[in-house]
Amino acid sequence: MRNYIFEFEQEQALKLDLKLSELLLLDYMLKFFQCDQIKRKRRNERFYCRVTYNKVLGDLPILRIKERQLRNMLIGLENKGLVERFSELKNQMYVYVNWELLFGNELPDNENDSATDCLGVGKDLPAIDNYDNNKIKIIIDNVRVRDVDLDLFNKKFHELLKDRVSSVSYGLFLCECKAVETTESEIVFKVKWKEHLEKYFLVKFEQTVRDALRYFL
């Protein structure tokens, strides 16, 4: 059996009883939700992305379905626990996708295809102060970071980060992370999908920041 269909494990797709058309739609959303221009809304600690039926049908004519059939497909994905949605207007919707379930309850990691950075009981918390909905602040002890060139730092940071997480995880949750501000002992990042970053990547994220800073301090 082929291991992957699009970005997803075929075995997990079979367990979820997913059809090929549903996998195509989920793959479309995986890529589409990474766009900077997409509108998001936060509800109950989750981010929902705005899509319209016309946009999906226009981008995926290969589905050969109409709006009513697309609605039914989304209802089917909701029944499987993969999708949550709400609508504010008739022809648009905000969609949350349960990527953890789709990837087998854990997001893929380069080393062993599991979310190795989840903070378990007894683990030390990283020196991170969460103070804004789309920013995190990492405290760097005993080192002055104010004078670090942020453009050069971001380049090195992403070079290292790409080698430490899977391409799916990087593209969906981490590719847009960017250092935007420094103080004497702190470096501030603007991030996307903050709740996923906090849940799965904090340890690796912080370590990569420290490793990248060694090139400049």
Side-chain angles (χ1 to χ4, degrees):
M1 181 176 71
R2 180 177 175 180
N3 290 332
Y4 288 89
I5 302 295
F6 302 117
E7 300 284 359
F8 314 124
E9 290 188 8
Q10 186 169 185
E11 183 177 356
Q12 182 66 11
L14 289 171
K15 288 179 181 177
L16 294 169
D17 193 27
L18 290 170
K19 301 174 183 177
L20 189 58
S21 57
E22 292 173 323
L23 282 175
L24 177 58
L25 178 60
L26 289 165
D27 181 73
Y28 169 80
M29 288 193 284
L30 177 67
K31 305 297 193 305
F32 183 58
F33 287 5
Q34 298 177 37
C35 299
D36 289 338
Q37 295 80 9
I38 195 166
K39 293 182 179 179
R40 298 180 179 85
K41 287 201 172 184
R42 188 182 181 103
R43 285 183 121 200
N44 300 322
E45 303 305 317
R46 289 178 172 176
F47 284 97
Y48 293 72
C49 296
R50 177 184 176 272
V51 295
T52 65
Y53 293 102
N54 286 339
K55 173 66 174 173
V56 176
L57 296 174
D59 286 344
L60 295 177
I62 196 170
L63 286 174
R64 294 183 173 89
I65 60 176
K66 298 185 182 298
E67 182 177 314
R68 177 178 56 81
Q69 294 167 301
L70 177 57
R71 288 177 188 270
N72 290 337
M73 187 183 297
L74 287 164
I75 290 171
L77 292 173
E78 280 185 313
N79 293 336
K80 294 171 183 178
L82 282 166
V83 165
E84 291 182 11
R85 65 197 171 103
F86 70 91
S87 299
E88 293 183 336
L89 296 173
K90 180 179 178 181
N91 295 318
Q92 75 173 32
M93 56 191 161
Y94 283 85
V95 177
Y96 165 82
V97 181
N98 188 342
W99 300 116
E100 295 95 324
L101 179 59
L102 190 59
F103 287 119
N105 297 315
E106 294 179 329
L107 291 171
D109 179 87
N110 279 346
E111 296 179 359
N112 58 9
D113 291 332
S114 64
T116 56
D117 292 326
C118 294
L119 296 178
V121 176
K123 289 188 177 180
D124 293 332
L125 291 174
I128 291 180
D129 176 20
N130 298 296
Y131 72 102
D132 189 89
N133 283 340
N134 66 342
K135 291 181 181 179
I136 61 173
K137 177 171 61 179
I138 298 182
I139 302 168
I140 309 297
D141 295 326
N142 304 319
V143 177
R144 176 187 171 93
V145 295
R146 180 181 290 280
D147 298 328
V148 171
D149 185 305
L150 289 183
D151 289 334
L152 293 176
F153 169 81
N154 281 318
K155 181 178 179 180
K156 174 56 65 176
F157 172 72
H158 281 279
E159 286 177 1
L160 296 176
L161 192 59
K162 285 179 181 179
D163 290 334
R164 299 180 181 189
V165 299
S166 72
S167 59
V168 173
S169 296
Y170 178 79
L172 187 59
F173 303 117
L174 299 166
C175 65
E176 294 183 20
C177 295
K178 182 179 181 181
V180 295
E181 181 185 347
T182 57
T183 66
E184 290 297 316
S185 60
E186 300 164 347
I187 184 164
V188 178
F189 285 82
K190 185 176 181 180
V191 301
K192 185 176 75 170
W193 304 108
K194 185 180 177 186
E195 77 281 10
H196 285 284
L197 192 153
E198 291 173 339
K199 186 174 181 181
Y200 291 103
F201 302 107
L202 275 183
V203 175
K204 188 165 291 183
F205 188 92
E206 186 208 22
Q207 187 57 54
T208 304
V209 170
R210 295 183 184 280
D211 291 344
L213 283 172
R214 293 192 180 101
Y215 289 86
F216 305 97
L217 300 176

